Amino acid sequence: MIVLKTPEQIERIRKSCRILVDTFRRAEELLKPGVKTSEIDAAVEEYVRSRGAVPAFKGYRGYPASVCISVDEVVLHGIPGDLVLEEGQIVTLDMGVILDGYYSDAAKTYAIGEVSEEKQRLMDAAKAALMKAIEVAREGNRIGDIAHAIQRTAEGRGFSVVRQFCGHGIGRNLHEEPEVPNFGRPHTGARLRRGMTLAIETMVNAGTPEVEIASDGWTVYTKDRRPAAHFEHTIAVTDGEADILTLGL
Ligand code: MF3
Ligand code: CO
């Protein structure tokens, strides 16, 4: 079942999203060569709690941290730890918070210093795919229109889209219906209605779309170990342009 939100509920989700955007600002201060990913996680958790919110991922299905930190060939769900960031890497921060029972969820891939031209183009493609997806996320269109926009934009730039993971509805839960795939055909799937709140996420690989999950049960790698990029916004569907609740990311 797809839960439609009232304007009041959307304002609550927006408040959660605002804290999340501020948390990205805080984490960005630490994104430099030499930082340990566990230090970023600790700073994120402290900041979120200082704002009266709760890290949404910590303890979710047993996930052990407040942020997913995914470096280079890690597509998703990298667990913070002893890894030290280095110049030339691309690093995705994926985080969510809960404020008064309402969830927010967003992701962004960052360059650490100078990165290769391919990594830069990959990040640009994943970002562009998300913005194209948001452009078609309006009442009357369908989930397949969003999915197709992501696929067309990423593949049109010579990259591939992940199939095993999807964006999702969001609200009183981190993951609600509908699923929002990164691939699909236009004019298919659930019809978009005003009041739907969606976490649209683009997961774009430089090489093969195939991924594999590490023995820790979380870390998702590209099968060919070429790099991946990931962007995500929480949005509300309206009868016009989508309302980007995580604006400013
Ligand atoms: N943005 C991701 C998602 O929607 C992050 C979830 S990580 C988890 O699946 F730890 F919370 F599972
Ligand atoms: Co998500």
Side-chain angles (χ1 to χ4, degrees):
M1 190 197 36
I2 298 177
V3 183
L4 298 181
K5 280 77 178 181
T6 64
E8 292 71 28
Q9 289 174 314
I10 290 171
E11 289 318 305
R12 297 237 209 171
I13 298 171
R14 193 191 311 277
K15 280 192 179 143
S16 178
C17 288
R18 289 219 171 105
I19 293 174
L20 182 60
V21 170
D22 292 344
T23 307
F24 275 85
R25 291 285 95 74
R26 169 70 189 108
E28 281 163 15
E29 293 170 9
L30 303 175
L31 277 182
K32 295 195 179 92
V35 72
K36 217 189 257 190
T37 56
S38 59
E39 293 167 12
I40 299 171
D41 181 56
V44 162
E45 178 165 9
E46 190 193 308
Y47 183 78
V48 170
R49 293 193 192 280
S50 80
R51 296 289 302 270
V54 175
F57 297 175
K58 193 153 192 174
Y60 183 84
R61 296 189 183 139
Y63 185 74
S66 298
V67 51
C68 300
I69 305 180
S70 303
V71 178
D72 286 342
E73 69 276 14
V74 179
V75 185
L76 290 170
H77 302 167
I79 300 173
D82 289 334
L83 182 71
V84 173
L85 298 186
E86 292 170 18
E87 167 106 17
Q89 291 173 331
I90 57 172
V91 177
T92 302
L93 301 182
D94 184 358
M95 328 192 242
V97 313
I98 315 167
L99 182 73
D100 297 331
Y102 287 87
Y103 283 76
S104 53
D105 187 5
K108 181 173 177 177
T109 302
Y110 298 87
I112 304 300
E114 282 273 308
V115 299
S116 70
E117 196 226 345
E118 182 192 55
K119 285 180 177 176
Q120 188 60 54
R121 280 192 296 109
L122 179 65
M123 289 193 296
D124 293 346
K127 175 90 184 284
L130 177 58
M131 298 324 287
K132 285 289 177 195
I134 291 172
E135 267 176 37
V136 298
R138 62 172 64 204
E139 184 161 70
N141 285 349
R142 294 175 177 228
I143 291 294
D145 296 311
I146 296 177
H148 180 70
I150 296 170
Q151 181 174 22
R152 188 167 41 87
T153 307
E155 292 183 351
R157 294 173 181 225
F159 300 119
S160 69
V161 289
V162 171
R163 284 158 169 75
Q164 281 92 330
F165 295 89
C166 292
H168 47 92
I170 185 167
R172 310 267 323 178
N173 303 286
L174 178 59
H175 295 130
E176 297 184 356
E177 286 183 41
E179 282 197 335
V180 186
N182 278 197
F183 67 101
R185 285 178 299 117
H187 316 303
T188 63
R191 186 81 64 183
L192 301 175
R193 302 272 176 230
R194 77 186 77 181
M196 281 187 189
T197 44
L198 303 174
I200 303 178
E201 24 193 331
T202 55
M203 295 153 277
V204 179
N205 293 353
T208 180
E210 294 291 308
V211 298
E212 54 191 34
I213 300 178
S215 55
D216 62 17
W218 283 104
T219 313
V220 180
Y221 290 90
T222 57
K223 204 158 206 169
D224 59 10
R225 299 297 191 264
R226 290 178 66 191
H230 176 204
F231 286 80
E232 177 178 20
H233 268 306
T234 295
I235 67 144
V237 174
T238 76
D239 57 355
E241 253 177 56
D243 188 354
I244 303 176
L245 302 176
T246 42
L247 200 67
L249 196 63

